[in-house]
Amino acid sequence: MILTVTLNTALDVTYTVDALVPHGSHRVGEVIERPGGKGLNVARVLGALGHDAVVTGFVGGANGDVLRGLLAPLPPRDALVEVAGNTRRTLAITDRSTGDTTQLNEPGPQVSPADWAAFLRTYEELVAGADAVALCGSLPPGIHVGAYAELVRIARAAAVPVLLDTSGEPLRRGVAARPDLVKPNAEELARLTGSREPLRAAGDARRRGAHAVVASLGPEGVLALTPDGVWRAAPPAPVRGNPTGAGDSAVAGLLSALAEGLPWPERLARAVALSAATVLAPTAGEFDAAAYAELLPRVTVEPHVPAP
């Protein structure tokens, strides 16, 4: 079983318009709702790949009821913890004329100390039966900034591999707790280390405590700095579409390949192919299965040699 943690779950709402014009009035052509938040996205992709996935985190209110209803028929199992507040919404507005997407993210419900204590009990029980753990996304109001560091330490004490995918101070503190893998994008990695050179920044993140670093470079693929070597992995060509959830699909690729015992080059190829197939999917946060099958053998994974 693979456990994914989304402390700040979301009800994702996607609007499609012919053209998004600032200050204008728009007719929405299509509305899609789905359970969201980074860890839920990861779990949905894991389920589509045939892996047993369990989701936990916080959920509450009317939006939370809708989220759980949408989650019920999907492969990931629901181990979410109820809070009194209302689960946030994220609104994605897709412009048909350009293919671009504008994202609006609400902050999330207030989480009390009692809520956090209830979650920790659930998390510790689930970690005991997990093959791997993914800690994903932002922190909702009320959660202390070292929350992910605490969860990393619990997973490590249980000898369960743990991946951390967050940003800012929660990432900084989480890295110091020595997760097995962190997956920042280039901007998050630069904010963590102060360096905009990806290889140097990834090396700094490893020195700070991360066992391995897979840095997302957007359309250019990923850079991986691991105990087994340094690699660059890239799709055969840049893809255009909706990037919402592409990073989460990459996390699912890394976790699923880890659970299957695949070597790093195959983990990276899967992550890049899933990420690109998510950009190509018509619905935000889902991946195009046919595109994934076509892209996977064409992903290039090469040892990275720094420029002289």
Side-chain angles (χ1 to χ4, degrees):
M1 177 267 283
I2 299 176
L3 175 64
T4 73
V5 175
T6 311
L7 296 179
N8 208 6
T9 59
L11 176 61
D12 285 351
V13 182
T14 301
Y15 287 168
T16 302
V17 298
D18 290 334
L20 183 61
V21 180
H23 316 298
S25 177
H26 301 78
R27 290 189 180 275
V28 176
E30 184 180 28
V31 181
I32 297 173
E33 291 183 332
R34 64 181 183 84
K38 293 180 72 64
L40 266 72
N41 295 340
V42 171
R44 290 169 63 230
V45 174
L46 287 169
L49 293 171
H51 284 268
D52 179 24
V54 175
V55 296
T56 190
F58 296 108
V59 68
N63 289 340
D65 291 341
V66 174
L67 184 155
R68 293 189 109 160
L70 293 169
L71 185 62
L74 300 177
R77 290 183 280 141
D78 179 350
L80 296 166
V81 176
E82 288 277 350
V83 294
N86 199 18
T87 293
R88 68 187 178 126
R89 294 167 298 178
T90 64
L91 178 62
I93 306 171
T94 299
D95 184 328
R96 281 199 188 99
S97 67
T98 64
D100 294 332
T101 298
T102 299
Q103 191 87 12
L104 303 174
N105 298 324
E106 296 179 356
Q110 184 77 22
V111 176
S112 71
D115 294 330
W116 180 245
F119 168 78
L120 284 179
R121 290 192 294 270
T122 297
Y123 177 72
E124 289 173 345
E125 291 172 2
L126 291 169
V127 165
D131 298 313
V133 177
L135 308 174
C136 305
S138 61
L139 299 180
I143 296 293
H144 64 95
V145 74
Y148 281 133
E150 184 175 357
L151 300 184
V152 168
R153 286 191 289 268
I154 291 171
R156 287 185 57 81
V160 177
V162 56
L163 180 153
L164 178 61
D165 184 14
T166 187
S167 61
E169 190 62 21
L171 174 61
R172 188 181 308 277
R173 298 200 185 193
V175 164
R178 306 187 66 80
D180 295 273
L181 174 61
V182 295
K183 197 214 69 63
N185 60 36
E187 184 60 34
E188 291 163 348
L189 191 57
R191 289 200 299 269
L192 172 68
T193 65
S195 173
R196 292 197 168 272
E197 200 290 305
L199 183 60
R200 181 178 301 164
D204 189 356
R206 284 201 69 205
R207 286 188 292 274
R208 290 167 183 255
H211 191 63
V213 179
V214 175
S216 173
L217 306 178
E220 298 177 8
V222 299
L223 170 69
L225 187 61
T226 82
D228 299 329
V230 182
W231 289 275
R232 284 288 299 267
V239 295
R240 185 174 179 83
N242 185 349
T244 303
D248 304 328
S249 290
V251 169
L254 292 168
L255 278 174
S256 61
L258 169 66
E260 294 169 26
L262 299 181
W264 272 105
E266 293 183 46
R267 297 184 202 180
L268 299 173
R270 182 177 293 184
V272 169
L274 279 171
S275 180
T278 299
V279 174
L280 293 169
T283 301
E286 298 181 358
F287 73 93
D288 183 319
Y292 168 63
E294 190 273 333
L295 285 164
L296 181 59
R298 299 173 58 214
V299 172
T300 59
V301 183
E302 299 176 342
H304 180 69
V305 180

PDB file of all heavy atoms in Angstrom, residues 7 45 56 104 122 129 153:
ATOM      1  N   LEU A   7      -2.658  17.459   3.565  1.00  0.00           N
ATOM      2  CA  LEU A   7      -3.191  18.177   4.724  1.00  0.00           C
ATOM      3  C   LEU A   7      -4.182  19.249   4.295  1.00  0.00           C
ATOM      4  O   LEU A   7      -5.092  19.593   5.040  1.00  0.00           O
ATOM      5  CB  LEU A   7      -2.042  18.796   5.522  1.00  0.00           C
ATOM      6  CG  LEU A   7      -1.063  17.784   6.143  1.00  0.00           C
ATOM      7  CD1 LEU A   7       0.040  18.511   6.892  1.00  0.00           C
ATOM      8  CD2 LEU A   7      -1.788  16.809   7.065  1.00  0.00           C
ATOM      9  N   VAL A  45      -3.624   8.928  -9.622  1.00  0.00           N
ATOM     10  CA  VAL A  45      -2.742   8.400 -10.672  1.00  0.00           C
ATOM     11  C   VAL A  45      -2.218   7.026 -10.272  1.00  0.00           C
ATOM     12  O   VAL A  45      -2.165   6.098 -11.094  1.00  0.00           O
ATOM     13  CB  VAL A  45      -1.595   9.383 -10.957  1.00  0.00           C
ATOM     14  CG1 VAL A  45      -0.598   8.778 -11.943  1.00  0.00           C
ATOM     15  CG2 VAL A  45      -2.139  10.693 -11.502  1.00  0.00           C
ATOM     16  N   THR A  56      -4.981  10.269   3.077  1.00  0.00           N
ATOM     17  CA  THR A  56      -5.367  10.847   4.352  1.00  0.00           C
ATOM     18  C   THR A  56      -5.015  12.329   4.345  1.00  0.00           C
ATOM     19  O   THR A  56      -4.313  12.817   3.453  1.00  0.00           O
ATOM     20  CB  THR A  56      -4.718  10.114   5.536  1.00  0.00           C
ATOM     21  OG1 THR A  56      -5.328  10.572   6.761  1.00  0.00           O
ATOM     22  CG2 THR A  56      -3.218  10.365   5.616  1.00  0.00           C
ATOM     23  N   LEU A 104      -6.863  29.732  -9.285  1.00  0.00           N
ATOM     24  CA  LEU A 104      -7.190  30.475  -8.073  1.00  0.00           C
ATOM     25  C   LEU A 104      -7.319  29.468  -6.932  1.00  0.00           C
ATOM     26  O   LEU A 104      -8.127  28.535  -7.006  1.00  0.00           O
ATOM     27  CB  LEU A 104      -8.509  31.245  -8.240  1.00  0.00           C
ATOM     28  CG  LEU A 104      -8.581  32.240  -9.407  1.00  0.00           C
ATOM     29  CD1 LEU A 104      -9.991  32.800  -9.537  1.00  0.00           C
ATOM     30  CD2 LEU A 104      -7.583  33.365  -9.207  1.00  0.00           C
ATOM     31  N   THR A 122      -4.205   8.669  13.164  1.00  0.00           N
ATOM     32  CA  THR A 122      -4.539   8.000  11.904  1.00  0.00           C
ATOM     33  C   THR A 122      -3.279   7.755  11.074  1.00  0.00           C
ATOM     34  O   THR A 122      -3.081   6.666  10.524  1.00  0.00           O
ATOM     35  CB  THR A 122      -5.541   8.852  11.102  1.00  0.00           C
ATOM     36  OG1 THR A 122      -6.753   8.958  11.840  1.00  0.00           O
ATOM     37  CG2 THR A 122      -5.828   8.247   9.741  1.00  0.00           C
ATOM     38  N   GLY A 129       1.468   0.155   7.912  1.00  0.00           N
ATOM     39  CA  GLY A 129       1.176  -0.803   6.855  1.00  0.00           C
ATOM     40  C   GLY A 129       1.551  -0.328   5.473  1.00  0.00           C
ATOM     41  O   GLY A 129       1.138  -0.939   4.475  1.00  0.00           O
ATOM     42  N   ARG A 153       9.753  12.284  10.189  1.00  0.00           N
ATOM     43  CA  ARG A 153      10.416  11.539  11.264  1.00  0.00           C
ATOM     44  C   ARG A 153       9.615  10.298  11.652  1.00  0.00           C
ATOM     45  O   ARG A 153      10.189   9.239  11.940  1.00  0.00           O
ATOM     46  CB  ARG A 153      10.633  12.452  12.476  1.00  0.00           C
ATOM     47  CG  ARG A 153      11.759  13.475  12.276  1.00  0.00           C
ATOM     48  CD  ARG A 153      12.126  14.169  13.570  1.00  0.00           C
ATOM     49  NE  ARG A 153      11.085  15.081  14.004  1.00  0.00           N
ATOM     50  CZ  ARG A 153      11.037  16.380  13.690  1.00  0.00           C
ATOM     51  NH1 ARG A 153      11.985  16.907  12.930  1.00  0.00           N
ATOM     52  NH2 ARG A 153      10.066  17.151  14.135  1.00  0.00           N
TER      53      ARG A 153
END
